[in-house]
Amino acid sequence: KKLRSRDMWGFALSVVIASLVVKISLWLYRWANPYCSGKLPPGSMGFPVIGETVEFFKPYSFTEVPPFVKKRMSKYSGGSLFRTNILGSKTIVSTDPEVNFEILKQDNMCFVMSYPEALVTIFGKDNLFFKQGKDFHRYMRQIALQLLGHECLKQRFIQKIDQATREHLKAISFQGVLDVKNTVGRLILEQMVQLIISDIKLETKSKLIENFRDFSFDLVRSPFDLSFWNALYNGLMARRNVMKMIKRMCKERREEATSTDLKYGDFMETMINEVEKEDDTVNEERSVELILSLLIASYETTSTMTAITVKFIAENPKVLMELKREHETILQNRVDKESGVTWKEYKSMMSFTHMVINESLRLGSLSPAMFRKAVSNVEIKGYTIPAGWIVLVIPSLLHYDPQIYEQPCDFNPWRWEGKELLSGSKTFMAFGGGARLCAGAEFARLQMAIYLHHLVTTYDFSLIEKSDIIRAPLLRFSKPIHISISKNL
């Protein structure tokens, strides 16, 4: 009986083990071969659960095509579409300019914005930029353009940006050494905070700016990197503190509005007026989220690109010489020598400056990759993108395509001669594309142009040490770019 009992237990255990092996094998098969009603692009889903996340997030040199993408394009016969799994999401990667253009054109229709969970958490899951719906996004974009749009910059802010930039450089140049990104980031934050909340107290403004120091797009890196979790925690705490401060100021402004007719004419007043409208498109939470998002985006991206641009200029004496010539000509043509940069000068007399900015944007890539999600099955180039799959659009790869840009790794502003300088194309998507084209594109260009104007006309500067710009698949980050600076003799 004991022998028979042992045999029965052995048989039962064998059945359980066999059942587990079958189930695990079936799960592994389904992982490697996800269901699709059509034909999936070639590719691999990687290891179970983690997919190909580790390899995807490996940093690489500034002049490299992302090794993750390059390897797969070569493996799949130069395929510009392939499938993978990143951060637990089934993903289609596209480097094809026609496909990228079509995907971005279909924003809020066949595709909607989607981002890695870490970035969504920092911005907030209810953030306006993650809301879906063409009409809603258009409405919120129009509100944002009241602060960052062409007319507002031209009529109200260009003089303020010019004056703030001039005073900023004057105040910090005595230090002799500058961390360009940090100092430009603080300059931009001070300007943006003042433009949004014109009556903010100096102490509150300083606290707000200090909290932003913990916001960093560097956190969009591998979750297997230990520093990721520290950056994530700091970002979450900073976001919570900033949200509380902005909510408190909004509440104080609304209470003041009920007892006085005082008008500020700033962006916070615009948002309060939107909240008070009868429809519920904008509530208090959304208005605060929009203010926060505008501050984060302008602070991080524009400061990074300005630092990279200064690095390129300092490494290329011929470029610096031509910039000086252009901006000294602007100064000589001014009737009032003490006046600041005008809109006419910015648009009509800074051709080479815009060429330099475009070339920096091409190499630096503010948006190296953009995430979308398919809301229905999409047929494209003979393949099917299944509903619910993430689509990773990589337009920046085209910026390094030798068939489009001769010697693409070289910093050569003259390549833009005779070309459109102030808008994007299928092969130049520095500010994204489609319905979600960056609302702050004009602000970023204007801030960079004014900063360069004052830097090259008033100061001598040089790099203290050369530092490679290290890229990550979603964003670029680098060692601090330090310059020595002194006033022209």
Side-chain angles (χ1 to χ4, degrees):
K1 287 183 179 180
K2 288 182 180 181
L3 183 61
R4 187 178 300 173
S5 177
R6 281 199 300 269
D7 289 343
M8 289 179 64
W9 277 108
F11 176 74
L13 183 61
S14 298
V15 169
V16 170
I17 292 173
S19 177
L20 283 174
V21 168
V22 169
K23 287 183 177 180
I24 291 171
S25 298
L26 183 60
W27 179 76
L28 290 173
Y29 177 82
R30 287 175 176 170
W31 174 273
N33 302 275
Y35 170 77
C36 176
S37 59
K39 181 184 178 183
L40 282 171
S44 168
M45 306 307 286
F47 292 105
V49 183
I50 65 172
E52 297 185 308
T53 303
V54 176
E55 190 174 356
F56 174 76
F57 275 102
K58 285 181 179 177
Y60 52 95
S61 173
F62 182 71
T63 54
E64 276 188 289
V65 171
F68 176 84
V69 176
K70 184 178 180 180
K71 178 180 176 181
R72 282 150 186 80
M73 288 181 69
S74 174
K75 183 177 181 180
Y76 306 122
S77 303
S80 55
L81 278 173
F82 60 88
R83 73 175 186 268
T84 182
N85 187 293
I86 300 167
L87 293 170
S89 297
K90 298 171 184 175
T91 304
I92 302 292
V93 178
S94 170
T95 63
D96 187 296
E98 298 296 331
V99 173
N100 292 346
F101 185 77
E102 189 61 30
I103 289 171
L104 295 175
K105 191 171 76 172
Q106 294 293 325
D107 258 349
N108 297 316
M109 290 182 280
C110 296
F111 298 93
V112 294
M113 180 176 278
S114 180
Y115 276 96
E117 189 61 29
L119 191 57
V120 174
T121 302
I122 288 294
F123 274 103
K125 290 185 178 182
D126 296 323
N127 188 279
L128 300 179
F129 290 104
F130 300 113
K131 295 292 181 183
Q132 300 172 12
K134 182 164 58 175
D135 293 338
F136 177 82
H137 179 70
R138 185 186 295 118
Y139 180 72
M140 298 312 302
R141 178 181 171 81
Q142 288 303 315
I143 294 176
L145 287 174
Q146 292 184 45
L147 175 68
L148 300 173
H150 175 101
E151 284 304 314
C152 188
L153 293 172
K154 177 181 178 180
Q155 301 296 337
R156 297 178 57 192
F157 294 152
I158 186 170
Q159 295 88 356
K160 293 179 181 179
I161 293 173
D162 179 84
Q163 182 180 355
T165 303
R166 188 187 326 184
E167 292 175 355
H168 167 81
L169 282 169
K170 183 179 179 181
I172 63 173
S173 61
F174 74 91
Q175 298 173 11
V177 175
L178 300 182
D179 180 331
V180 183
K181 183 181 182 297
N182 280 349
T183 55
V184 173
R186 188 173 186 92
L187 164 67
I188 291 169
L189 269 181
E190 287 179 348
Q191 291 179 95
M192 287 294 291
V193 169
Q194 202 67 47
L195 295 176
I196 292 171
I197 315 165
S198 59
D199 64 328
I200 189 170
K201 296 175 181 177
L202 185 59
E203 182 182 354
T204 306
K205 182 178 177 180
S206 297
K207 287 182 180 178
L208 196 67
I209 289 172
E210 286 308 313
N211 272 286
F212 268 93
R213 298 289 178 143
D214 290 325
F215 277 105
S216 175
F217 282 72
D218 284 2
L219 65 88
V220 191
R221 62 180 76 164
S222 172
F224 302 100
D225 182 342
L226 294 178
S227 62
F228 164 86
W229 298 104
N230 184 52
L232 179 61
Y233 175 79
N234 290 338
L236 287 171
M237 293 300 102
R239 181 182 184 276
R240 185 184 68 176
N241 294 337
V242 171
M243 286 284 285
K244 282 182 179 179
M245 295 173 73
I246 296 174
K247 282 181 180 179
R248 187 179 69 249
M249 286 184 280
C250 282
K251 181 181 178 182
E252 292 171 354
R253 183 73 71 84
R254 283 201 311 274
E255 290 174 350
E256 186 180 78
T258 60
S259 59
T260 177
D261 293 329
L262 185 62
K263 300 292 183 183
Y264 292 93
D266 56 18
F267 190 69
M268 178 170 278
E269 187 169 87
T270 300
M271 294 310 303
I272 289 172
N273 291 338
E274 291 294 329
V275 171
E276 291 176 351
K277 288 182 178 178
E278 290 184 4
D279 61 53
D280 60 351
T281 305
V282 181
N283 54 30
E284 182 187 29
E285 192 72 20
R286 288 177 177 177
S287 68
V288 173
E289 286 278 7
L290 179 57
I291 290 173
L292 175 64
S293 299
L294 292 173
L295 287 171
I296 294 173
S298 60
Y299 161 65
E300 178 70 23
T301 56
T302 309
S303 62
T304 299
M305 280 313 308
T306 304
I308 290 174
T309 303
V310 170
K311 168 184 163 65
F312 287 147
I313 294 169
E315 290 175 339
N316 293 270
K318 187 179 175 183
V319 173
L320 177 57
M321 187 182 302
E322 182 62 22
L323 270 179
K324 283 179 175 286
R325 185 200 63 75
E326 179 171 86
H327 287 276
E328 285 168 359
T329 300
I330 290 172
L331 293 179
Q332 290 166 9
N333 288 335
R334 282 182 188 164
V335 176
D336 182 359
K337 303 300 181 183
E338 298 300 318
S339 66
V341 174
T342 65
W343 192 258
K344 181 181 178 181
E345 290 171 349
Y346 167 65
K347 284 291 187 179
S348 306
M349 302 177 70
M350 295 189 183
S351 296
F352 187 70
T353 303
H354 291 303
M355 289 160 64
V356 169
I357 290 172
N358 267 19
E359 186 69 348
S360 298
L361 290 169
R362 181 185 72 82
L363 290 169
S365 295
L366 277 170
S367 301
M370 294 172 277
F371 283 92
R372 297 293 187 268
K373 181 187 286 185
V375 296
S376 60
N377 288 353
V378 179
E379 302 294 329
I380 198 161
K381 292 239 171 177
Y383 296 112
T384 299
I385 300 176
W389 279 52
I390 293 293
V391 181
L392 181 59
V393 177
I394 309 183
S396 59
L397 201 65
L398 298 170
H399 298 173
Y400 284 82
D401 188 339
Q403 295 182 356
I404 301 172
Y405 300 99
E406 187 179 351
Q407 295 181 315
C409 294
D410 291 351
F411 180 73
N412 177 19
W414 286 274
R415 74 171 79 245
W416 295 94
E417 238 172 343
K419 297 181 181 179
E420 173 56 50
L421 295 175
L422 299 176
S423 62
S425 67
K426 290 182 182 180
T427 57
F428 181 60
M429 295 186 182
F431 292 99
R436 292 181 181 265
L437 181 69
C438 178
E442 189 76 77
F443 169 81
R445 286 182 178 277
L446 178 63
Q447 177 65 68
M448 290 171 70
I450 291 176
Y451 187 88
L452 293 179
H453 172 77
H454 289 292
L455 183 65
V456 303
T457 57
T458 311
Y459 302 95
D460 293 318
F461 63 96
S462 61
L463 283 178
I464 291 179
E465 60 178 14
K466 289 191 175 184
S467 58
D468 188 21
I469 301 172
I470 306 299
R471 293 179 181 274
L474 306 184
L475 293 163
R476 93 274 90 211
F477 54 96
S478 67
K479 297 176 182 178
I481 296 172
H482 291 104
I483 60 171
S484 61
I485 185 171
S486 60
K487 194 165 184 178
N488 288 342
L489 296 176

